[in-house]
PDB file of all heavy atoms in Angstrom:
ATOM      1  N   GLY A  61     -20.026  -3.130   3.625  1.00 98.00           N
ATOM      2  CA  GLY A  61     -20.336  -4.443   4.172  1.00 98.00           C
ATOM      3  C   GLY A  61     -19.061  -5.257   4.282  1.00 98.00           C
ATOM      4  O   GLY A  61     -18.067  -4.953   3.626  1.00 98.00           O
ATOM      5  N   GLY A  62     -19.092  -6.253   5.152  1.00 98.00           N
ATOM      6  CA  GLY A  62     -17.910  -7.093   5.348  1.00 98.00           C
ATOM      7  C   GLY A  62     -16.965  -6.491   6.375  1.00 98.00           C
ATOM      8  O   GLY A  62     -17.228  -5.426   6.937  1.00 98.00           O
ATOM      9  N   HIS A  63     -15.875  -7.180   6.644  1.00 98.00           N
ATOM     10  CA  HIS A  63     -14.928  -6.679   7.635  1.00 98.00           C
ATOM     11  C   HIS A  63     -13.504  -7.125   7.335  1.00 98.00           C
ATOM     12  O   HIS A  63     -13.283  -8.057   6.563  1.00 98.00           O
ATOM     13  CB  HIS A  63     -15.336  -7.100   9.045  1.00 98.00           C
ATOM     14  CG  HIS A  63     -15.369  -8.589   9.224  1.00 98.00           C
ATOM     15  ND1 HIS A  63     -16.527  -9.314   9.150  1.00 98.00           N
ATOM     16  CD2 HIS A  63     -14.377  -9.481   9.452  1.00 98.00           C
ATOM     17  CE1 HIS A  63     -16.251 -10.601   9.324  1.00 98.00           C
ATOM     18  NE2 HIS A  63     -14.960 -10.727   9.514  1.00 98.00           N
ATOM     19  N   VAL A  64     -12.559  -6.430   7.994  1.00 98.00           N
ATOM     20  CA  VAL A  64     -11.133  -6.731   7.864  1.00 98.00           C
ATOM     21  C   VAL A  64     -10.608  -7.072   9.247  1.00 98.00           C
ATOM     22  O   VAL A  64     -10.888  -6.361  10.216  1.00 98.00           O
ATOM     23  CB  VAL A  64     -10.367  -5.512   7.294  1.00 98.00           C
ATOM     24  CG1 VAL A  64      -8.863  -5.781   7.243  1.00 98.00           C
ATOM     25  CG2 VAL A  64     -10.901  -5.141   5.915  1.00 98.00           C
ATOM     26  N   MET A  65      -9.863  -8.158   9.357  1.00 97.00           N
ATOM     27  CA  MET A  65      -9.256  -8.567  10.616  1.00 97.00           C
ATOM     28  C   MET A  65      -7.734  -8.557  10.465  1.00 97.00           C
ATOM     29  O   MET A  65      -7.200  -9.092   9.497  1.00 97.00           O
ATOM     30  CB  MET A  65      -9.665 -10.000  10.997  1.00 97.00           C
ATOM     31  CG  MET A  65     -11.159 -10.269  11.024  1.00 97.00           C
ATOM     32  SD  MET A  65     -11.970  -9.582  12.465  1.00 97.00           S
ATOM     33  CE  MET A  65     -11.317 -10.632  13.762  1.00 97.00           C
ATOM     34  N   ILE A  66      -7.046  -7.953  11.440  1.00 96.00           N
ATOM     35  CA  ILE A  66      -5.584  -7.949  11.464  1.00 96.00           C
ATOM     36  C   ILE A  66      -5.180  -8.773  12.679  1.00 96.00           C
ATOM     37  O   ILE A  66      -5.407  -8.332  13.809  1.00 96.00           O
ATOM     38  CB  ILE A  66      -5.010  -6.528  11.630  1.00 96.00           C
ATOM     39  CG1 ILE A  66      -5.675  -5.538  10.683  1.00 96.00           C
ATOM     40  CG2 ILE A  66      -3.488  -6.542  11.482  1.00 96.00           C
ATOM     41  CD1 ILE A  66      -5.299  -5.679   9.264  1.00 96.00           C
ATOM     42  N   ASP A  67      -4.604  -9.927  12.447  1.00 93.00           N
ATOM     43  CA  ASP A  67      -4.194 -10.799  13.551  1.00 93.00           C
ATOM     44  C   ASP A  67      -5.312 -10.983  14.583  1.00 93.00           C
ATOM     45  O   ASP A  67      -5.089 -10.872  15.797  1.00 93.00           O
ATOM     46  CB  ASP A  67      -2.964 -10.208  14.249  1.00 93.00           C
ATOM     47  CG  ASP A  67      -1.702 -10.939  13.798  1.00 93.00           C
ATOM     48  OD1 ASP A  67      -1.814 -11.872  12.980  1.00 93.00           O
ATOM     49  OD2 ASP A  67      -0.620 -10.560  14.267  1.00 93.00           O
ATOM     50  N   GLY A  68      -6.525 -11.207  14.091  1.00 92.00           N
ATOM     51  CA  GLY A  68      -7.631 -11.468  14.999  1.00 92.00           C
ATOM     52  C   GLY A  68      -8.304 -10.215  15.550  1.00 92.00           C
ATOM     53  O   GLY A  68      -9.318 -10.317  16.248  1.00 92.00           O
ATOM     54  N   ASN A  69      -7.741  -9.024  15.280  1.00 93.00           N
ATOM     55  CA  ASN A  69      -8.377  -7.776  15.723  1.00 93.00           C
ATOM     56  C   ASN A  69      -9.167  -7.173  14.577  1.00 93.00           C
ATOM     57  O   ASN A  69      -8.635  -6.996  13.480  1.00 93.00           O
ATOM     58  CB  ASN A  69      -7.330  -6.746  16.159  1.00 93.00           C
ATOM     59  CG  ASN A  69      -6.615  -7.170  17.412  1.00 93.00           C
ATOM     60  OD1 ASN A  69      -7.243  -7.602  18.377  1.00 93.00           O
ATOM     61  ND2 ASN A  69      -5.292  -7.082  17.386  1.00 93.00           N
ATOM     62  N   ARG A  70     -10.424  -6.804  14.852  1.00 96.00           N
ATOM     63  CA  ARG A  70     -11.231  -6.187  13.809  1.00 96.00           C
ATOM     64  C   ARG A  70     -10.784  -4.744  13.584  1.00 96.00           C
ATOM     65  O   ARG A  70     -10.620  -3.989  14.541  1.00 96.00           O
ATOM     66  CB  ARG A  70     -12.713  -6.228  14.190  1.00 96.00           C
ATOM     67  CG  ARG A  70     -13.640  -5.705  13.113  1.00 96.00           C
ATOM     68  CD  ARG A  70     -15.091  -6.092  13.395  1.00 96.00           C
ATOM     69  NE  ARG A  70     -15.457  -5.895  14.801  1.00 96.00           N
ATOM     70  CZ  ARG A  70     -15.753  -4.703  15.339  1.00 96.00           C
ATOM     71  NH1 ARG A  70     -15.754  -3.631  14.589  1.00 96.00           N
ATOM     72  NH2 ARG A  70     -16.055  -4.604  16.611  1.00 96.00           N
ATOM     73  N   LEU A  71     -10.557  -4.411  12.303  1.00 97.00           N
ATOM     74  CA  LEU A  71     -10.166  -3.049  11.922  1.00 97.00           C
ATOM     75  C   LEU A  71     -11.395  -2.248  11.505  1.00 97.00           C
ATOM     76  O   LEU A  71     -11.457  -1.023  11.708  1.00 97.00           O
ATOM     77  CB  LEU A  71      -9.165  -3.138  10.760  1.00 97.00           C
ATOM     78  CG  LEU A  71      -8.697  -1.856  10.083  1.00 97.00           C
ATOM     79  CD1 LEU A  71      -7.910  -0.985  11.046  1.00 97.00           C
ATOM     80  CD2 LEU A  71      -7.845  -2.181   8.862  1.00 97.00           C
ATOM     81  N   THR A  72     -12.377  -2.920  10.954  1.00 96.00           N
ATOM     82  CA  THR A  72     -13.561  -2.282  10.386  1.00 96.00           C
ATOM     83  C   THR A  72     -14.523  -1.815  11.483  1.00 96.00           C
ATOM     84  O   THR A  72     -14.643  -2.471  12.522  1.00 96.00           O
ATOM     85  CB  THR A  72     -14.286  -3.317   9.484  1.00 96.00           C
ATOM     86  OG1 THR A  72     -13.301  -4.007   8.733  1.00 96.00           O
ATOM     87  CG2 THR A  72     -15.259  -2.652   8.544  1.00 96.00           C
ATOM     88  N   ARG A  73     -15.222  -0.703  11.218  1.00 95.00           N
ATOM     89  CA  ARG A  73     -16.237  -0.168  12.141  1.00 95.00           C
ATOM     90  C   ARG A  73     -15.681   0.039  13.551  1.00 95.00           C
ATOM     91  O   ARG A  73     -16.229  -0.398  14.541  1.00 95.00           O
ATOM     92  CB  ARG A  73     -17.501  -1.043  12.148  1.00 95.00           C
ATOM     93  CG  ARG A  73     -18.306  -0.899  10.839  1.00 95.00           C
ATOM     94  CD  ARG A  73     -19.614  -1.642  10.891  1.00 95.00           C
ATOM     95  NE  ARG A  73     -19.393  -3.066  11.120  1.00 95.00           N
ATOM     96  CZ  ARG A  73     -18.990  -3.906  10.192  1.00 95.00           C
ATOM     97  NH1 ARG A  73     -18.765  -3.478   8.973  1.00 95.00           N
ATOM     98  NH2 ARG A  73     -18.791  -5.175  10.478  1.00 95.00           N
ATOM     99  N   ARG A  74     -14.548   0.683  13.582  1.00 95.00           N
ATOM    100  CA  ARG A  74     -13.951   1.133  14.839  1.00 95.00           C
ATOM    101  C   ARG A  74     -13.814   2.649  14.741  1.00 95.00           C
ATOM    102  O   ARG A  74     -13.694   3.160  13.633  1.00 95.00           O
ATOM    103  CB  ARG A  74     -12.533   0.544  14.982  1.00 95.00           C
ATOM    104  CG  ARG A  74     -12.477  -0.924  15.354  1.00 95.00           C
ATOM    105  CD  ARG A  74     -12.604  -1.009  16.851  1.00 95.00           C
ATOM    106  NE  ARG A  74     -12.487  -2.350  17.366  1.00 95.00           N
ATOM    107  CZ  ARG A  74     -11.339  -2.953  17.650  1.00 95.00           C
ATOM    108  NH1 ARG A  74     -10.192  -2.379  17.401  1.00 95.00           N
ATOM    109  NH2 ARG A  74     -11.341  -4.150  18.170  1.00 95.00           N
ATOM    110  N   PRO A  75     -13.746   3.362  15.878  1.00 95.00           N
ATOM    111  CA  PRO A  75     -13.497   4.807  15.803  1.00 95.00           C
ATOM    112  C   PRO A  75     -12.170   5.079  15.082  1.00 95.00           C
ATOM    113  O   PRO A  75     -11.255   4.242  15.143  1.00 95.00           O
ATOM    114  CB  PRO A  75     -13.412   5.230  17.272  1.00 95.00           C
ATOM    115  CG  PRO A  75     -14.028   4.122  18.045  1.00 95.00           C
ATOM    116  CD  PRO A  75     -13.887   2.867  17.242  1.00 95.00           C
ATOM    117  N   GLU A  76     -12.074   6.237  14.450  1.00 93.00           N
ATOM    118  CA  GLU A  76     -10.887   6.547  13.651  1.00 93.00           C
ATOM    119  C   GLU A  76      -9.601   6.431  14.482  1.00 93.00           C
ATOM    120  O   GLU A  76      -8.579   5.951  13.986  1.00 93.00           O
ATOM    121  CB  GLU A  76     -11.034   7.935  13.012  1.00 93.00           C
ATOM    122  CG  GLU A  76      -9.790   8.476  12.318  1.00 93.00           C
ATOM    123  CD  GLU A  76      -9.140   7.530  11.295  1.00 93.00           C
ATOM    124  OE1 GLU A  76      -9.856   6.725  10.680  1.00 93.00           O
ATOM    125  OE2 GLU A  76      -7.909   7.603  11.128  1.00 93.00           O
ATOM    126  N   ALA A  77      -9.638   6.822  15.763  1.00 93.00           N
ATOM    127  CA  ALA A  77      -8.414   6.769  16.582  1.00 93.00           C
ATOM    128  C   ALA A  77      -7.928   5.326  16.736  1.00 93.00           C
ATOM    129  O   ALA A  77      -6.730   5.047  16.672  1.00 93.00           O
ATOM    130  CB  ALA A  77      -8.664   7.392  17.949  1.00 93.00           C
TER     131      ALA A  77
END
Side-chain angles (χ1 to χ4, degrees):
H63 61 262
V64 176
M65 307 284 291
I66 313 288
D67 258 359
N69 292 314
R70 185 166 44 78
L71 174 64
T72 317
R73 288 186 300 283
R74 285 276 183 85
E76 171 52 30

